[in-house]
Amino acid sequence: KRCVEIKFYHQNQSCLKDTDFIIKPNVSHVGIFNDENKMEVYKAGREAALDRVPQIVEAIKIQSLRV
């Protein structure tokens, strides 16, 4: 189980290197295979995404001006 978590971590790191934004909810206490906390993870992800909306909108505006 732990080796799969480590593999996913490294795979995610390589996928994230070209992103503009990373939305990272605080769910480090929830295991990758734990589906008992689905609603908690959903709410944390939604909250983290909503927190970043102003920055994302601003980036879109700036990008639109460049085109």
Side-chain angles (χ1 to χ4, degrees):
K1 176 178 159 183
R2 181 71 178 138
C3 67
V4 174
E5 290 177 342
I6 293 169
K7 179 186 178 294
F8 281 147
Y9 171 81
H10 288 291
Q11 185 177 9
N12 286 341
Q13 294 304 306
S14 68
C15 291
L16 295 175
K17 67 181 177 183
D18 296 324
T19 61
D20 293 323
F21 288 93
I22 298 172
I23 297 171
K24 193 171 181 180
N26 184 13
V27 292
S28 60
H29 61 284
V30 179
I32 195 168
F33 297 109
N34 180 346
D35 61 347
E36 294 175 7
N37 301 75
K38 288 185 274 193
M39 189 53 70
E40 177 186 353
V41 171
Y42 166 78
K43 288 178 180 179
R46 187 173 194 285
E47 182 179 322
L50 290 173
D51 287 346
R52 295 298 301 263
V53 167
Q55 295 164 324
I56 294 169
V57 169
E58 187 62 29
I60 291 170
K61 287 178 184 177
I62 291 170
Q63 186 62 30
S64 298
L65 294 175
R66 292 182 186 161
V67 176

